[in-house]
Amino acid sequence: MTAYINPQYGHPAPVPPPLQPHTQPVGQAAYNTTMSTPLPINQQQAIPSTTYSRPEPPPLAVGLPTEDVVIGKCIIPKDVAMSALQGSYVNLGKFAMSPAIHQENDTITVRNGKFSLSSKLTPKHIASYSDWYTAWTNYEELLCTYLHPSVGIQSKCAEYRRFIQKCEASYKWHAVYSFDTQFRLELSKKGGFGFKDIDMVLYRTTFT
């Protein structure tokens, strides 16, 4: 028998016989290896897997209106407010609506034991920058109140307000309001509040 030197003790030690290859019988999975025969699959221990979950994005809104919203003298219907908070296009005239003191079509409703007088609300015609500014201020306040701070809506709205103001100083109002309407309509299709991302193609098309 061949011997080798055991480095720990310094004297020959017998060499163990080589492992013989193991072959499965015909008809079964054949293995030709010096390793031991693997266990059947149903007896093997499952390898634990690690799963990674993406962090949840910050909520878009910190709350949602449960009824009509009153901002100053303006009454914003709940469905209009919800559309605005979802990034949908809204007619700014609906953010400058204030009911008259009394009209023939007023209705009296009782809610939780309280009487309330509801009047028909008609969207205001935005005929000037002053009208637009009033409506936009109410629209901006609604977004800043209900949207999550991570959206950064306050700075976006303020920058767009200054942009419209500069346009009004250089071009006729009907052209400025046409740009505003088309820009916000296209923006709503993207489902966001990117008021800082001015569409320069639309700008040149409108004002040149």
Side-chain angles (χ1 to χ4, degrees):
M1 178 180 295
T2 306
Y4 71 97
I5 302 298
N6 189 323
Q8 184 177 0
Y9 301 105
H11 57 79
V15 177
L19 296 175
Q20 298 297 323
H22 179 80
T23 303
Q24 294 285 358
V26 178
Q28 300 182 13
Y31 297 91
N32 189 6
T33 175
T34 58
M35 303 294 292
S36 60
T37 304
L39 293 173
I41 294 179
N42 58 358
Q43 297 182 18
Q44 294 182 8
Q45 183 177 2
I47 300 176
S49 59
T50 304
T51 57
Y52 299 92
S53 58
R54 294 181 179 180
E56 291 295 330
L60 184 61
V62 295
L64 294 174
T66 57
E67 55 187 12
D68 295 350
V69 180
V70 179
I71 300 178
K73 295 181 180 180
C74 176
I75 298 179
I76 305 171
K78 176 185 174 182
D79 59 333
V80 176
M82 291 290 290
S83 295
L85 293 172
Q86 292 169 356
S88 302
Y89 171 80
V90 291
N91 178 2
L92 278 186
K94 294 182 178 180
F95 283 82
M97 298 187 297
S98 55
I101 300 283
H102 175 71
Q103 295 179 354
E104 292 182 358
N105 57 0
D106 289 347
T107 58
I108 298 177
T109 57
V110 180
R111 179 183 299 175
N112 297 329
K114 297 180 180 180
F115 290 92
S116 62
L117 177 68
S118 61
S119 301
K120 182 179 180 181
L121 300 174
T122 303
K124 181 178 179 60
H125 175 58
I126 307 297
S128 64
Y129 173 75
S130 178
D131 292 339
W132 183 91
Y133 180 83
T134 299
W136 180 264
T137 301
N138 294 333
Y139 173 75
E140 184 176 336
E141 184 172 341
L142 174 78
L143 298 185
C144 292
T145 300
Y146 287 97
L147 291 183
H148 195 275
S150 63
V151 179
I153 195 63
Q154 185 172 7
S155 62
K156 294 177 181 179
C157 287
E159 185 168 331
Y160 184 69
R161 181 178 1 100
R162 291 190 293 266
F163 169 79
I164 293 296
Q165 185 178 20
K166 291 180 180 179
C167 291
E168 189 272 337
S170 303
Y171 305 104
K172 293 183 178 180
W173 175 247
H174 71 83
V176 178
Y177 190 51
S178 174
F179 172 87
D180 168 66
T181 302
Q182 292 297 321
F183 175 69
R184 290 187 295 106
L185 183 60
E186 291 297 323
L187 198 62
S188 67
K189 297 177 182 179
K190 301 177 183 178
F193 300 94
F195 297 115
K196 291 184 177 181
D197 304 325
I198 301 300
D199 186 342
M200 297 310 298
V201 175
L202 178 61
Y203 179 87
R204 290 190 294 267
T205 303
T206 306
F207 298 118
T208 57

